[in-house]
């Protein structure tokens, strides 16, 4: 398709060929630079007599090709640097994960845990602004344990010792006074 560019510049192409070349020029910066090169050659041909027509054209094409290779080289260098960075990050993550095996067992909160027989079951929703450290401090202070959740609505199920309150109403009142808890339901 690039071979049609000189005829496009001279206006000697058929309508179909001209449309194809214009499409190529819109989509390809290389084709556009070749068109500019041919325009410069055409302008030189009009303004001066050329004793060696191929020499100037050859030099211009060589300069264009050298610039193109320099751009490709910088793109390739960037790609190699990105690939090396990705490999380094993956290696570092692997090393960190391999060192972190401390024997601690983690389970999702939504798993099924045994509920102690002498415990209140309470469903709560924490304030959105509550930090995890504040929630942990509240759970420690209440001697509560998370036994389920969060649900799709952000509701957790807690187990509290029966000694925390004389009855469900007293427990609900006590928990409702906590600023981190937006919703409290004592499950019978």
């Amino acid at each position: 398709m690039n071979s049609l560019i000189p005829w496009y510049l001279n206006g000697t192409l058929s309508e179909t060929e001209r449309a194809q070349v214009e499409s190529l020029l819109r989509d390809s910066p290389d084709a556009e630079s070749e068109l500019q090169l041919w325009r410069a050659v055409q302008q030189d041909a009009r303004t001066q007599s050329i004793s060696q027509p191929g020499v100037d054209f050859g030099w211009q094409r060589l300069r264009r090709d050298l610039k193109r290779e320099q751009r490709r080289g910088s793109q390739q260098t960037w790609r190699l640097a990105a690939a090396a960075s990705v490999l380094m990050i993956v290696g570092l993550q692997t090393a960190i994960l391999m060192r972190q095996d401390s024997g601690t067992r983690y389970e999702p909160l939504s798993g099924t845990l045994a509920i102690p027989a002498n415990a209140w079951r309470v469903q709560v929703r924490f304030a959105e602004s509550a930090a995890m450290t504040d929630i942990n401090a509240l759970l420690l202070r209440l001697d509560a344990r998370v036994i389920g959740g969060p649900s799709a609505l952000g509701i957790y199920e807690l187990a509290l010792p029966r000694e925390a309150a004389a009855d469900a109403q007293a427990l609900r009142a006590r928990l409702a006074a906590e600023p981190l808890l937006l919703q409290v339901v004592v499950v019978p």
Side-chain angles (χ1 to χ4, degrees), residues 34-132:
E34 188 164 338
L35 175 65
Q36 296 305 322
L37 178 69
W38 279 108
R39 280 188 177 140
V41 169
Q42 187 182 49
Q43 184 63 32
D44 284 347
R46 286 182 184 152
T47 59
Q48 47 181 284
S49 63
I50 301 175
S51 57
Q52 298 177 349
V55 174
D56 288 336
F57 179 74
W59 278 112
Q60 289 176 354
R61 180 172 254 171
L62 179 62
R63 279 191 212 124
R64 185 200 66 201
D65 290 345
L66 287 174
K67 286 179 184 176
R68 186 182 303 150
E69 287 301 317
Q70 286 174 341
R71 277 184 289 183
R72 269 194 207 133
S74 67
Q75 289 174 350
Q76 192 172 21
T77 302
W78 180 86
R79 287 182 186 136
L80 288 173
S85 298
V86 168
L87 287 174
M88 186 177 72
I89 290 170
V90 168
L92 184 60
Q93 284 178 334
T94 302
I96 289 171
L97 289 174
M98 290 178 77
R99 290 181 127 197
Q100 281 187 341
D101 187 16
S102 62
T104 305
R105 185 168 174 228
Y106 295 97
E107 294 180 19
L109 289 176
S110 60
T112 55
L113 298 174
I115 303 167
N118 60 346
W120 292 104
R121 282 182 44 210
V122 182
Q123 294 176 342
V124 298
R125 189 165 54 97
F126 295 101
E128 288 183 27
S129 61
M132 193 56 150

Side-chain angles (χ1 to χ4, degrees), residues 138-146 158-161:
L138 175 65
L139 294 175
L140 285 172
R141 189 166 32 85
L142 296 173
D143 195 22
R145 193 172 98 188
V146 177
L158 307 178
L160 281 88

Side-chain angles (χ1 to χ4, degrees), residues 146-178:
V146 177
I147 57 172
S151 70
L153 298 174
I155 297 173
Y156 290 83
E157 191 165 350
L158 307 178
L160 281 88
R162 285 279 178 180
E163 302 86 47
D167 59 17
Q169 187 112 8
L171 180 61
R172 188 192 176 302
R174 176 180 172 199
L175 294 176
E178 294 289 342

Side-chain angles (χ1 to χ4, degrees), residues 9-30:
L9 187 62
N10 290 335
T12 57
L13 294 177
S14 69
E15 192 66 32
T16 304
E17 291 171 323
R18 187 179 60 76
Q20 290 173 345
V21 171
E22 288 175 349
S23 173
L24 175 69
L25 291 172
R26 279 191 302 275
D27 298 335
S28 171
D30 291 338

